[in-house]
């Protein structure tokens, strides 16, 4: 009898496959599978084979395989197909759309008697409709590594690790469900083949009944045939119902798992976004800290600071005048910690404050600001000339300042091993000969061991 075998083969990425396929039948005499035909795939992955497999009361077992080298493990693309028989003419076998599994082929082996290693093979294909149910499981696996510029918090890491572990377990479960669907598809195809073979037997019996004269035995055969039909129909309905229920339950489970995976993915995205924002905030805080540290470590001249304060006060008074505010700025006093180095005054840095050996002093700097056109009574010249305190002891210097109506503020500087005299004035501010108001403070620096 002539056989017509067709099918279409696709790669895992959905593109049409290329190369060759072969048809194998099981030979009872040798108890092994034997290649009976080979075909090359066209540009769309289709193949069509026509061959003569002889006549017989039963259809032989047929499978579609990839072409492999001799003694290599067979790679089976499909183990069953749709069968349509034209009595006395042709058998049509359609494998439909098959998707290659590639490296994901499933090993089929059995070591219990009477099976052996020679019976092993690889299931290298699956019906394309079943393959599409996997919903690209590899794409649903989420990398627990979070791409942020800084390490996220430990709580977020633990949460992401737990979610990733849960996703991995769900992916394994989904793979198992898909394999179970493949098994159910193969069982369904096997039952369909059995049904075709039973229908072929019934057709053969009906032909025999038509060709033989009516007899009592023929009535019994006809009754037996009807009983076989009833049993087959009942079995087919029961198996179809069970398969549909299992497939529906599996599809529902797959949908629930896909929903859980999607929710977990959104949760991981939220954690990733929060980690990134926290890292950016930490980076900004570090930059601000470094900038503040740099500013604190930068030495500022006291005269420059006084000038800046005076300009800002002037700008504030100008703004008050523009706004029509009936007030003015009066006396503004600042107490600044000042470092005396040589003949200059600077604001100390952090390193200066930490250095206990630095020669420094504390002084109050009083600044007064009044609007233009007005003069404070304290600004009226007093005619007091600052004397020269050089080489005077602190006692003599205080007496001289008190006699002149000035207030002396003492500071001290260590001379170390320089050989300079101890207890004498070496520096003063304002300088000698300056005009100051009565009661003005005069800073005098005295040497000490």
């Amino acid at each position: 009898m002539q056989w017509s075998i067709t099918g279409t083969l696709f790669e895992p990425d959905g593109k049409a496959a290329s190369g060759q396929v072969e048809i194998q039948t099981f030979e009872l005499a040798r108890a092994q599978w034997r290649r009976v035909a080979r075909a090359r795939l066209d540009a769309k992955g289709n193949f069509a084979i026509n061959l003569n497999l002889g006549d017989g009361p039963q259809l032989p077992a047929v499978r579609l395989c990839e072409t492999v080298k001799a003694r290599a493990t067979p790679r089976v693309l499909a183990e069953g197909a749709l069968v349509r028989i034209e009595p006395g003419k042709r058998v049509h076998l359609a494998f439909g759309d098959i998707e290659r599994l590639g490296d994901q082929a499933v090993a089929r082996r059995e070591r219990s008697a009477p099976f052996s290693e020679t019976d092993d093979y690889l299931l290298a294909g699956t019906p394309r409709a079943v393959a599409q149910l996997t919903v690209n499981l590899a794409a649903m696996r989420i990398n627990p590594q979070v791409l942020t510029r800084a390490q996220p918090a430990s709580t977020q890491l633990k949460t992401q690790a737990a979610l990733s572990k849960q996703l991995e377990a769900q992916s394994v479960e989904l793979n198992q469900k898909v394999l179970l669907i493949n098994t159910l598809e193969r069982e369904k195809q096997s039952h369909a083949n059995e049904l075709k073979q039973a229908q072929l037997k019934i057709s053969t019996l009906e032909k025999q009944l038509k060709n033989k004269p009516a007899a009592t035995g023929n009535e019994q055969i006809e009754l037996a045939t009807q009983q076989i039909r009833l049993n087959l129909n009942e079995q087919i309905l029961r198996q179809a119902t069970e398969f549909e229920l299992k497939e529906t339950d599996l599809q529902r489970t797959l949908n629930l798992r896909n929903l859980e995976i999607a929710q977990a993915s959104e949760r991981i995205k939220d954690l990733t976004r929060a980690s990134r924002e926290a890292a950016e905030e930490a980076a900004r805080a570090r930059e601000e800290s470094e900038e503040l540290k740099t500013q604190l470590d930068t030495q500022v001249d006291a005269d420059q600071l006084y000038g800046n304060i005076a300009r800002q006060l002037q700008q504030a008074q100008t703004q008050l005048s523009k706004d029509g505010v009936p007030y003015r700025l009066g006396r503004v006093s600042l107490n600044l910690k000042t470092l005396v180095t040589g003949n200059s005054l600077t604001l100390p840095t952090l390193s200066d404050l930490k250095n206990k050996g630095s020669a420094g002093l504390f002084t109050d700097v009083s600044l007064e600001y009044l609007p233009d056109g007005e003069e404070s009574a304290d600004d009226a010249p007093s005619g007091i000339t600052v004397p020269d305190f050089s080489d005077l002891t602190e006692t003599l210097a205080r007496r001289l300042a008190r006699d002149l109506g000035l207030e002396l503020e003492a500071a001290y500087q260590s001379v170390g091993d320089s050989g300079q005299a101890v207890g004498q004035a070496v520096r003063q501010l304002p300088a000698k000969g300056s005009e100051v108001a009565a009661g003005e403070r005069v800073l005098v620096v005295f040497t000490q061991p």
Side-chain angles (χ1 to χ4, degrees):
M1 182 177 294
Q2 291 293 323
W3 284 61
S4 175
I5 305 174
T6 59
T8 306
L9 190 60
F10 295 90
E11 298 291 351
D13 58 2
K15 296 181 180 180
S18 60
Q20 291 184 338
V21 294
E22 61 182 41
I23 299 296
Q24 295 182 358
T25 61
F26 193 81
E27 189 174 329
L28 291 175
R30 298 182 180 180
Q32 65 180 11
W33 290 92
R34 180 175 64 91
R35 184 180 73 232
V36 295
R38 180 181 294 177
R40 180 172 297 277
L41 302 175
D42 61 15
K44 296 182 179 181
N46 299 320
F47 68 90
I49 301 174
N50 294 298
L51 71 160
N52 190 344
L53 292 180
D55 298 330
Q58 295 184 351
L59 296 177
V62 180
R63 68 184 186 183
L64 177 66
C65 301
E66 293 181 351
T67 301
V68 298
K69 297 181 180 179
R71 298 184 180 180
T73 302
R75 295 179 62 87
V76 180
L77 296 170
E79 298 177 294
L82 296 177
V83 180
R84 185 69 177 178
I85 301 174
E86 298 180 28
K89 295 182 180 180
R90 183 180 292 271
V91 177
H92 296 274
L93 204 63
F95 285 97
D97 294 342
I98 304 297
E99 183 172 309
R100 275 178 172 162
L101 295 180
D103 296 336
Q104 304 298 323
V106 180
R108 302 294 298 273
R109 57 172 61 90
E110 179 62 49
R111 291 296 180 268
S112 60
F115 296 98
S116 65
E117 184 178 353
T118 58
D119 299 316
D120 294 349
Y121 68 91
L122 295 173
L123 184 59
T126 184
R128 197 179 187 195
V130 176
Q132 292 175 350
L133 292 176
T134 61
V135 198
N136 197 2
L137 293 178
M140 292 191 292
R141 294 193 179 94
I142 298 177
N143 193 338
Q145 299 294 335
V146 182
L147 300 178
T148 57
R149 290 184 293 177
Q151 185 72 12
S154 58
T155 303
Q156 295 172 343
L157 283 175
K158 292 179 181 179
T159 304
Q160 291 179 2
L163 288 173
S164 298
K165 186 176 181 180
Q166 181 181 358
L167 289 177
E168 187 67 24
Q170 291 175 350
S171 297
V172 173
E173 184 178 355
L174 288 176
N175 284 328
Q176 294 175 351
K177 297 294 185 182
V178 172
L179 291 177
L180 182 56
I181 289 179
N182 291 339
T183 303
L184 291 175
E185 286 285 350
R186 289 194 295 272
E187 291 179 357
K188 181 180 179 181
Q189 190 64 43
S190 177
H191 294 327
N193 291 337
E194 292 176 1
L195 175 62
K196 295 297 183 181
Q197 293 178 358
Q199 290 176 345
L200 183 61
K201 291 181 180 179
I202 292 174
S203 299
T204 303
L205 290 174
E206 288 177 345
K207 290 180 181 179
Q208 292 176 356
L209 287 175
K210 291 180 180 179
N211 295 332
K212 293 182 179 181
T216 303
N218 291 342
E219 295 178 357
Q220 295 178 354
I221 293 175
E222 185 175 357
L223 291 174
T225 301
Q226 293 177 356
Q227 185 64 37
I228 291 174
R229 282 184 173 178
L230 291 175
N231 292 338
L232 285 174
N233 291 335
E234 181 181 356
Q235 182 180 2
I236 290 169
L237 290 174
R238 183 172 61 255
Q239 291 177 349
T241 302
E242 292 176 356
F243 176 79
E244 291 177 357
L245 290 175
K246 289 181 180 179
E247 188 175 22
T248 302
D249 183 64
L250 287 173
Q251 187 61 50
R252 186 185 304 111
T253 303
L254 286 173
N255 293 336
L256 291 175
R257 291 295 181 268
N258 290 337
L259 180 60
E260 292 176 0
I261 289 175
Q263 293 174 348
S265 301
E266 290 298 324
R267 176 60 176 163
I268 287 182
K269 289 180 180 178
D270 293 339
L271 290 174
T272 302
R273 183 166 51 255
S275 298
R276 184 170 56 253
E277 292 176 353
E280 293 174 353
E281 186 66 25
R284 287 193 295 269
R286 284 195 298 271
E287 293 176 357
E288 293 176 357
S289 176
E290 291 296 332
E291 183 179 357
L292 180 60
K293 183 178 179 182
T294 301
Q295 293 176 356
L296 292 176
D297 287 338
T298 302
Q299 195 173 54
V300 179
D301 187 76
D303 294 340
Q304 180 182 357
L305 177 63
Y306 302 157
N308 290 337
I309 293 175
R311 283 192 296 272
Q312 292 179 14
L313 291 175
Q314 179 64 42
Q315 292 174 0
Q317 182 59 53
T318 302
Q319 188 63 40
L320 287 175
S321 301
K322 289 182 178 179
D323 295 340
V325 178
Y327 298 99
R328 63 178 174 81
L329 293 176
R331 182 185 298 271
V332 177
S333 298
L334 299 176
N335 293 325
L336 300 176
K337 181 180 292 186
T338 307
L339 177 66
V340 179
T341 305
N343 294 324
S344 62
L345 296 177
T346 58
L347 297 181
T349 64
L350 287 178
S351 58
D352 294 330
L353 296 176
K354 294 178 180 178
N355 186 4
K356 298 181 179 180
S358 296
L361 54 91
F362 294 94
T363 182
D364 291 333
V365 178
S366 297
L367 300 178
E368 184 181 50
Y369 173 83
L370 294 175
D372 295 337
E374 299 186 22
E375 185 176 357
S376 173
D378 295 338
D379 290 337
S382 62
I384 299 177
T385 302
V386 178
D388 185 4
F389 293 97
S390 300
D391 299 330
L392 296 180
T393 63
E394 185 176 352
T395 301
L396 293 176
R398 288 187 180 277
R399 184 180 302 171
L400 176 59
R402 184 172 60 253
D403 293 343
L404 294 176
L406 300 175
E407 181 180 350
L408 186 141
E409 182 174 354
Y412 305 95
Q413 178 176 341
S414 176
V415 297
D417 298 333
S418 63
Q420 192 174 0
V422 177
Q424 294 181 352
V426 295
R427 193 178 298 110
Q428 70 182 61
L429 189 70
K432 64 180 181 179
S434 302
E435 293 289 335
V436 296
E440 187 74 23
R441 289 182 182 180
V442 178
L443 175 64
V444 181
V445 179
F446 298 93
T447 58
Q448 66 178 8

